[in-house]
Amino acid sequence: MALELEEHRQEEAEEFDPSATYRQAITAVSALFEDIENGRIPSTKMLHGVVDRVADLTIREPSTLLGLAMIKDYDNYTFFHSVNVGILAMALGAAFGMGKEELRELGMAGFLHDVGKTRVAKKILNKPGKLSPEEFEVMKRHAEDGARIIDEMEGISSGVARAVLGHHLGFDRTGYPGWAKELPFGRSCEIIAVADCYDAITTLRVYKPPLTPREAVEMIRGLAGTQLNPDLVETFTGMMGRYPVGTLVRLDTNEIAVVFRPPPPGGERPMVKVVKDGLGRVLPSPVVKDLAREEGVGIVAVVDPALAAVEVSRYLE
């Protein structure tokens, strides 16, 4: 009895542990993609459970998972990208006022938005250079293939398939698939597009360096009204703040810190983890500072992680 009670307590702790939930999401997405690549129709039970936990965490504290969504893994890009898009989409949906059921569908669409890439040849998917016109045509089919795959899966709503189908159409409907541009698409599709764009441009790929979170937010702003819904862009940039989670900054104490929580609504002073002291020495353990409560301490500059030799993602778990 005591053992069962201890196991139950551990399960409850993991259910509201953001890092544990993130790892479970990676496991669920990678297992599902592997089943599809091997010609099996996957079970969605594990994925539903993870989506429920992420939705609960997002409703409780939308900013909790934003740091985890900045974790990158080049060798497992598709899985990490899928999970990050789901997390960012749910956070944006919550900021836009969506309820739990809408967030669950949004998260499912984010986790599955690239499932059609299981039908793309690895030599195209992992090509280090620019795709040829013929290869790009193959790549573009992943949105349609993804919608078809989802239609064959049990327990996934048609709204998820529709969001996956249209996540590359663009707000101005100049994207793909062209034949679908006249179809009605809900807000979920446009939220996935914002989340997909942000995670993609902040991730290192063979053919392009990543943008910093702050640079990425500026680029997102530049796409408002064409590729991206301007109302959603406004909400997203407000959610991310002047110094988005994952930004490396220099404080006026000359300390180097990683932003890991956005500021309170309307504020500009986030929570940070100080990782280097004023003399440039790496701290054995990061020191948390809530700049909204710290008097006399402020941000004076954004720092390039490569130049500072700081691996930002290790401080976001």
Side-chain angles (χ1 to χ4, degrees):
M1 183 67 180
L3 180 59
E4 290 179 358
L5 182 60
E6 181 60 31
E7 288 178 347
H8 178 68
R9 285 173 177 167
Q10 184 175 348
E11 287 176 0
E12 282 190 330
E14 288 184 353
E15 186 173 349
F16 296 104
D17 178 348
S19 295
T21 299
Y22 186 86
R23 291 191 296 271
Q24 290 163 0
I26 295 294
T27 299
V29 169
S30 59
L32 185 143
F33 277 46
E34 183 179 350
D35 278 347
I36 294 169
E37 286 181 341
N38 291 324
R40 297 188 293 266
I41 296 177
S43 167
T44 58
K45 182 178 179 181
M46 186 188 301
L47 193 62
H48 275 293
V50 170
V51 168
D52 282 342
R53 285 191 286 278
V54 175
D56 286 337
L57 285 167
T58 301
I59 290 169
R60 177 181 290 194
E61 179 50 64
S63 68
T64 300
L65 290 165
L66 286 179
L68 296 176
M70 287 304 296
I71 294 175
K72 315 291 185 179
D73 186 322
Y74 175 76
D75 293 328
N76 295 286
Y77 170 75
T78 299
F79 308 140
F80 278 76
H81 173 64
S82 297
V83 171
N84 291 345
V85 169
I87 288 172
L88 288 166
M90 281 201 250
L92 178 52
F96 213 75
M98 289 185 168
K100 183 174 180 179
E101 286 307 308
E102 289 179 296
L103 293 181
R104 289 179 72 256
E105 182 169 292
L106 196 53
M108 189 66 75
F111 288 166
L112 296 176
H113 79 286
D114 271 349
V115 72
K117 288 184 177 178
T118 57
R119 298 284 188 261
V120 178
K122 288 290 193 293
K123 66 179 182 180
I124 294 177
L125 198 60
N126 299 324
K127 185 176 179 179
K130 184 178 179 181
L131 298 180
S132 70
E134 294 77 18
E135 290 168 334
F136 186 53
E137 287 302 314
V138 172
M139 181 69 82
K140 283 162 59 175
R141 291 203 293 268
H142 80 271
E144 298 164 80
D145 288 340
R148 290 192 199 98
I149 290 168
I150 291 167
D151 280 335
E152 295 176 2
M153 295 164 60
E154 292 185 6
I156 308 292
S157 75
S158 59
V160 171
R162 180 60 63 92
V164 170
L165 174 65
H167 74 279
H168 280 298
L169 263 176
F171 179 69
D172 57 6
R173 296 293 187 268
T174 60
Y176 59 86
W179 61 264
K181 65 181 180 180
E182 300 301 331
L183 295 177
F185 287 92
R187 182 160 284 135
S188 292
C189 180
E190 295 175 334
I191 289 176
I192 297 299
V194 174
D196 181 33
C197 181
Y198 184 80
D199 188 71
I201 61 181
T202 53
T203 302
L204 173 68
R205 304 307 305 278
V206 169
Y207 50 84
K208 71 169 185 66
L211 298 184
T212 66
R214 195 173 186 185
E215 291 169 338
V217 165
E218 289 305 311
M219 183 173 177
I220 292 283
R221 280 198 180 101
L223 297 173
T226 53
Q227 185 176 328
L228 303 174
N229 181 311
D231 292 335
L232 291 175
V233 167
E234 182 177 357
T235 301
F236 182 80
T237 56
M239 175 183 83
M240 300 304 281
R242 183 179 180 186
Y243 301 102
V245 171
T247 303
L248 192 66
V249 297
R250 185 181 302 278
L251 306 182
D252 51 15
T253 57
N254 207 39
E255 296 168 309
I256 300 296
V258 174
V259 176
F260 82 106
R261 290 284 188 280
E268 292 189 354
R269 295 171 62 80
M271 291 185 71
V272 301
K273 289 182 179 179
V274 178
V275 299
K276 287 188 176 184
D277 66 18
L279 299 176
R281 297 172 298 198
V282 177
L283 300 181
S285 298
V287 176
V288 175
K289 289 188 178 183
D290 184 351
L291 299 186
R293 298 173 181 271
E294 292 267 351
E295 293 186 9
V297 180
I299 295 172
V300 295
V302 173
V303 178
D304 185 331
L307 295 178
V310 174
E311 186 182 345
V312 170
S313 63
R314 65 177 293 216
Y315 298 104
L316 297 175
E317 292 194 57

